[in-house]
Amino acid sequence: MMEITGPRTGKTAVVTGGASGIGLATVQRLHQDGHAVVILDRSDQAGDIARDLSTGEAPVYAEIADLSSMDDIGRVTRRMAETYDSVDILVNNAGIHPKRPDGSHVPIDEISLEQWNQVMAVNLTATFLLSQWAMGPMRARGWGRIVNVASRAGRMYMPISGAHYSASKAAVIAFTRTLAGECGPEGVTANTVAPGRIRTPLSDVSGLDSSQNLHEAFAQSVPLRRVGRPEELASTISFLASDDSSFITGAVIDVNGGVFG
């Protein structure tokens, strides 16, 4: 792994869970925007994606880590601090949502403490630790963008979402507001995007006959009458990572086709 050196018009972004779904679309969009991107994912596919996307002007790198492991997070943050000149943009996208074997959500009385802790570790604690790691250098430089991916389930009751997932995403929203308040005086913004149903490998798990049936059924409750695309989340994240969003911080941007409340 080589350091990012030389003059670049873009900045350096880290995207967690960047090997698939919303994370991959975000990696592709930030790369298109001219940024160097570090894919932080537990999948070895991150390396192949990085090699396919990387260019001399906007390199893409891969770091493999299990974000449920505090040891792994410590290892990878130390490595990134030593390897890359700076991290200007952090997108905390990685998340898990355990389901029953038939794809339905796990009711509260069936959630084990082990499963609860695992969801909190990946969805919330990793967001906290990576933000804590990134915010200091960002504040010292006087510029930074932290974008955390929550969920509609963190904003309202969702029958298809487990309590552990919903609670973790609500906590991400509250954490981000405090992060924004503490980092704002030094020019660092922190915002949350809260997607509704987006067609991703994670959402293609269904208690109906097929994921297509589930998406079609869900679309009937959406004013735009469809589910979202990962690229639509990525474009919102791109905006929040840019100078165009310089007076937006502590916000929750709902990207859900109009379903809220």
Side-chain angles (χ1 to χ4, degrees), residues 15-48:
V15 180
T16 71
S20 65
I22 294 169
L24 176 56
T26 300
V27 168
Q28 293 168 331
R29 176 55 187 265
L30 293 178
H31 178 259
Q32 178 185 325
D33 291 343
H35 302 305
V37 185
V38 181
I39 304 171
L40 179 52
D41 201 287
R42 65 183 178 181
S43 171
D44 290 336
Q45 291 181 346
D48 296 332

Side-chain angles (χ1 to χ4, degrees), residues 128-230:
F128 156 65
L129 290 173
L130 288 166
S131 298
Q132 188 180 56
W133 163 74
M135 64 187 283
M138 288 179 180
R139 293 166 87 175
R141 291 191 301 272
W143 197 97
R145 299 287 185 266
I146 298 175
V147 184
N148 296 326
V149 178
S151 169
R152 180 183 169 209
R155 303 272 270 161
M156 61 183 291
Y157 171 60
M158 289 285 292
I160 63 173
S161 297
H164 42 9
Y165 180 80
S166 299
S168 70
K169 294 303 186 179
V172 164
I173 292 171
F175 168 72
T176 306
R177 288 193 175 117
T178 301
L179 181 64
E182 294 190 7
C183 289
E186 287 79 37
V188 178
T189 67
N191 292 288
T192 309
V193 292
R197 190 159 196 88
I198 307 296
R199 186 182 293 276
T200 69
L202 183 63
S203 71
D204 281 342
V205 178
S206 169
L208 300 176
D209 293 336
S210 70
S211 62
Q212 180 63 34
N213 289 344
L214 179 60
H215 291 316
E216 289 176 356
F218 191 87
Q220 297 310 304
S221 66
V222 179
L224 292 181
R225 292 295 188 268
R226 64 177 177 84
V227 298
R229 301 186 300 272

